[in-house]
Amino acid sequence: MGNHTLAPFTISNGTPQGSPLSPILSALYTATLLDLTNTWTHHDLMLYIDDGAIYVTSAMTTAAATSAIKGFHKVLDWLHHNGLDVDPTKTELMTFTKSRVDPNLTGDATLRTHFTDSLGNDHHISTMTSLRYLRVFLDRTLS
């Protein structure tokens, strides 16, 4: 903490699943990651214990997707530097647009993208037409 560092040691116990201590520890541990996102413009990171979402606003869906992926790479760097990783099977990308907006003006849904994990493995990011985040179902048109 601060400039004080202890020698590494093995942890023999953990926090049980669903413990009220988990959100507190998660918030303390990821506070510097959230602080990093204070410099972002037109996008933000939201965390809830071990779930996260990057939100981006743009007039063009391709620009929003590109910005989200750049933010995701910054988050990956922070996670890897702090001994954490993402679950590639739970990494999804979704762009939203108003249904009445002309897709020729805003761009179509992003079809393919990928990321490289801390071991150098390349992973495909699934592009979704609907998803569930924190028990809320969302579709591309937010209907």
Side-chain angles (χ1 to χ4, degrees):
M1 184 165 257
N3 292 329
H4 183 71
T5 305
L6 293 175
F9 58 92
T10 303
I11 299 173
S12 57
N13 294 321
T15 306
Q17 179 73 23
S19 167
L21 190 56
S22 294
I24 296 165
L25 293 174
S26 176
L28 288 172
Y29 195 79
T30 58
T32 57
L33 172 60
L34 291 173
D35 191 46
L36 168 77
T37 64
N38 286 334
T39 62
W40 292 5
T41 55
H42 304 294
H43 57 300
D44 199 3
L45 171 67
M46 294 203 50
L47 297 175
Y48 182 77
I49 306 174
D50 65 346
D51 284 326
I54 296 173
Y55 297 91
V56 179
T57 58
S58 178
M60 301 289 295
T61 55
T62 52
T66 300
S67 185
I69 293 164
K70 285 180 182 178
F72 181 63
H73 283 284
K74 291 176 185 177
V75 169
L76 279 178
D77 288 343
W78 187 93
L79 291 172
H80 296 161
H81 181 74
N82 288 279
L84 300 173
D85 211 344
V86 297
D87 182 350
T89 63
K90 294 183 178 181
T91 305
E92 302 168 332
L93 174 68
M94 186 168 167
T95 56
F96 301 95
T97 184
K98 294 180 181 177
S99 59
R100 64 183 177 274
V101 174
D102 183 355
N104 293 322
L105 298 175
T106 61
D108 228 343
T110 303
L111 298 177
R112 294 187 188 105
T113 193
H114 66 279
F115 71 95
T116 304
D117 65 19
S118 58
L119 300 174
N121 301 315
D122 197 44
H123 297 279
H124 172 75
I125 298 177
S126 300
T127 303
M128 310 304 288
T129 56
S130 66
L131 59 81
R132 179 179 160 196
Y133 182 67
L134 300 178
R135 297 188 181 190
V136 175
F137 290 91
L138 303 168
D139 69 8
R140 190 171 189 285
T141 61
L142 296 175
S143 60

